[in-house]
Amino acid sequence: MATITYEHATVQYPGAERPSVNALDLDIADGEFLVLVGPSGCGKSTSLRALAGLEAVTDGSIRIGDRDVTHLPPKERDIAMVFQNYALYPHMSVADNMGFALKISGMKKEEIRKRVEEAARILDLEQYLERKPKALSGGQRQRVAMGRAIVRNPQAFLMDEPLSNLDAKLRVQTRTEIAALQRRLGVTTVYVTHDQVEAMTMGDRVCVLKDGYLQQVDTPRNLYDRPDNVFVAGFIGSPAMNLVDVDLDQDGAHLGGRVLALPRATMSALSGEGAKTATVGFRPEAVTVVSEGEGFPFEVVVVEELGSDAYAYGTLHTSRGSEGDKLMTIRVDAKRPPMKGETIHLRVLPDEVHVFSTETGRRVSGDVASVSGSGATGVGQG
Ligand SMILES: Nc1ncnc2c1ncn2[C@@H]1O[C@H](COP(=O)(O)OP(=O)(O)O)[C@@H](O)[C@H]1O
Ligand SMILES: [Mg+2]
């Protein structure tokens, strides 16, 4: 087991106009489960492959433990990778697939068998050891791919979208199994996914990437509660955070024909920047339904009932006229959801308002927790 450190690591493919991974700084703790997440093409696989030694680092460095591995070939890095397509050898049995890398490395037969049997026991594959991959289900193949990584007893596991070939239900079950297995083995793991729910449920910490740049790395809780910028705010959370550009005056932000009071510290930071607008965000659950006149009007367009939860999609009339009408999502009482076409009135919970600079996208508001102590009163005044 080991720590992993990216130091200003940059990967630019030959002939590419710009780096696919740009000056990445990232410290991963010994035994940590770190998830790299972001939209397609943001550089997740490239970051992982650079760590594995499959792509050349063009600037900066990567360390595993106290070894600088930047220029070491993959086989000298003591890591095991699990790929999306599992890359199993079709003509080999499960046991041979799992033991193949050990055999190549010259390990004794008895030791290989011992390790394969132990991994098979951990992964519940004992009765399939003599089968060929094609006689296995997708979930079993996925476990063989995991087994092949486990038998090597590496310093780190690297996994690139290992669940994306499974159907939705199996994916949810398997992600829990992988997370539990990783905790049991305690092996430092870097896990790539484009699915933010997968990232949030599996990672000790989650690193959000966009266009090759690190946006934020933090615990799932902190990413959710305190996104550093508009991109992270919109990417993390499902349904997504409501984000709306609003005009400012000295009292706060114009929203839904009313003024949303903002914390004094936020207002002074905004006016310090000379900002006339801000981007305000609130999550679907950060509202309460109030009586008419107490909140902003919200016209319900669609209601989505999920059983335990219900969401209403609708429009909020902003100060920018009909152009500013934004489709928003709010969580509503699943037992008594509003009706399509109905207009309800909402109050945004003042502690849960996020404010970002419209210009830079960066977070402006102070600590979410301190907002309530600084004079915010939420939508409904004014
Ligand atoms: N072998 C390659 N040669 C040139 N460009 C590549 C190569 N692999 C990936 N890229 C580019 O690098 C960027 C990041 O790709 P990738 O790391 O695969 O993203 P992700 O895994 O987040 O979807 C993309 O713009 C992609 O087109
Ligand atoms: Mg990828």
Side-chain angles (χ1 to χ4, degrees):
M1 287 187 286
T3 57
I4 292 170
T5 311
Y6 288 86
E7 218 169 72
H8 247 65
T10 299
V11 178
Q12 184 156 359
Y13 288 103
E17 266 172 34
R18 53 192 189 91
S20 294
V21 177
N22 221 317
L24 177 63
D25 283 314
L26 182 59
D27 276 310
I28 304 169
D30 186 16
E32 181 170 17
F33 195 121
L34 183 109
V35 180
L36 297 175
V37 73
S40 176
C42 71
K44 305 179 293 294
S45 294
T46 304
S47 304
L48 197 72
R49 292 171 60 82
L51 173 57
L54 301 172
E55 304 297 346
V57 172
T58 40
D59 195 18
S61 64
I62 299 179
R63 285 199 311 278
I64 300 177
D66 45 21
R67 287 187 307 150
D68 185 332
V69 301
T70 316
H71 303 293
L72 284 186
K75 63 176 173 15
E76 286 172 33
R77 296 195 182 199
D78 196 9
I79 48 101
M81 190 141 171
V82 179
F83 295 94
Q84 174 174 345
N85 58 10
Y86 317 143
L88 301 178
Y89 302 109
H91 57 285
M92 282 186 201
S93 69
V94 166
D96 289 344
N97 261 290
M98 279 165 64
F100 187 66
L102 303 182
K103 188 172 159 190
I104 295 290
S105 75
M107 186 180 282
K108 288 219 179 66
K109 260 193 176 149
E110 305 86 84
E111 176 65 14
I112 296 177
R113 174 175 320 174
K114 208 176 105 216
R115 290 201 189 186
V116 167
E117 280 172 1
E118 178 166 4
R121 194 166 40 75
I122 293 172
L123 293 162
D124 211 6
L125 284 170
E126 283 163 300
Q127 73 242 55
Y128 305 108
L129 281 173
E130 297 317 315
R131 288 202 193 168
K132 299 276 167 62
K134 71 172 185 309
L136 301 178
S137 71
Q140 289 162 343
R141 283 180 211 172
Q142 204 286 326
R143 297 215 297 281
V144 176
M146 288 293 296
R148 204 169 38 179
I150 291 173
V151 296
R152 296 175 61 186
N153 197 12
Q155 289 205 307
F157 292 137
L158 276 49
M159 306 187 192
D160 194 346
E161 313 235 11
L163 304 183
S164 53
N165 285 336
L166 304 180
D167 65 46
K169 192 166 178 191
L170 191 57
R171 201 155 62 218
V172 170
Q173 182 191 330
T174 310
R175 82 181 181 217
T176 317
E177 286 170 7
I178 291 182
L181 180 65
Q182 191 275 342
R183 253 123 233 174
R184 191 158 129 219
L185 300 174
V187 178
T188 312
T189 299
V190 186
Y191 184 104
V192 162
T193 179
H194 65 275
D195 179 345
Q196 61 88 21
V197 177
E198 206 169 290
M200 295 289 274
T201 51
M202 295 181 83
D204 292 320
R205 284 187 309 154
V206 174
C207 172
V208 183
L209 298 172
K210 181 189 172 231
D211 298 337
Y213 288 96
L214 189 155
Q215 303 293 304
Q216 186 171 2
V217 54
D218 215 328
T219 60
R221 185 81 250 163
N222 287 346
L223 282 180
Y224 193 82
D225 287 343
R226 217 182 128 67
D228 277 350
N229 62 44
V230 168
F231 177 77
V232 175
F235 188 76
I236 297 290
S238 176
M241 183 188 285
N242 299 297
L243 289 160
V244 56
D245 289 348
V246 295
D247 296 321
L248 296 171
D249 71 10
Q250 71 250 41
D251 303 321
H254 290 275
L255 185 70
R258 293 173 173 271
V259 174
L260 171 64
L262 297 177
R264 223 170 297 142
T266 304
M267 288 305 290
S268 67
L270 285 165
S271 68
E273 290 172 14
K276 299 268 184 292
T277 65
T279 304
V280 165
F282 59 92
R283 296 206 178 272
E285 70 273 21
V287 297
T288 45
V289 177
V290 293
S291 47
E292 188 171 355
E294 283 180 45
F296 60 75
F298 179 84
E299 191 184 331
V300 177
V301 177
V302 175
V303 178
E304 198 177 85
E305 294 188 60
L306 303 171
S308 60
D309 288 311
Y311 294 94
Y313 299 81
T315 50
L316 170 70
H317 303 276
T318 65
S319 56
R320 301 185 163 189
S322 56
E323 262 174 65
D325 282 4
K326 280 256 321 194
L327 201 61
M328 303 258 168
T329 312
I330 58 165
R331 193 170 72 191
V332 292
D333 188 346
K335 298 234 160 54
R336 273 169 300 143
M339 306 237 293
K340 186 175 151 184
E342 193 180 341
T343 294
I344 57 177
H345 294 82
L346 300 175
R347 180 168 174 275
V348 179
L349 302 177
D351 288 3
E352 300 192 27
V353 175
H354 304 260
V355 184
F356 304 96
S357 158
T358 308
E359 200 173 328
T360 65
R362 272 194 227 112
R363 181 178 198 86
V364 177
S365 56
D367 221 45
V368 171
S370 72
V371 170
S372 58
S374 50
T377 44
V379 171
Q381 278 66 41

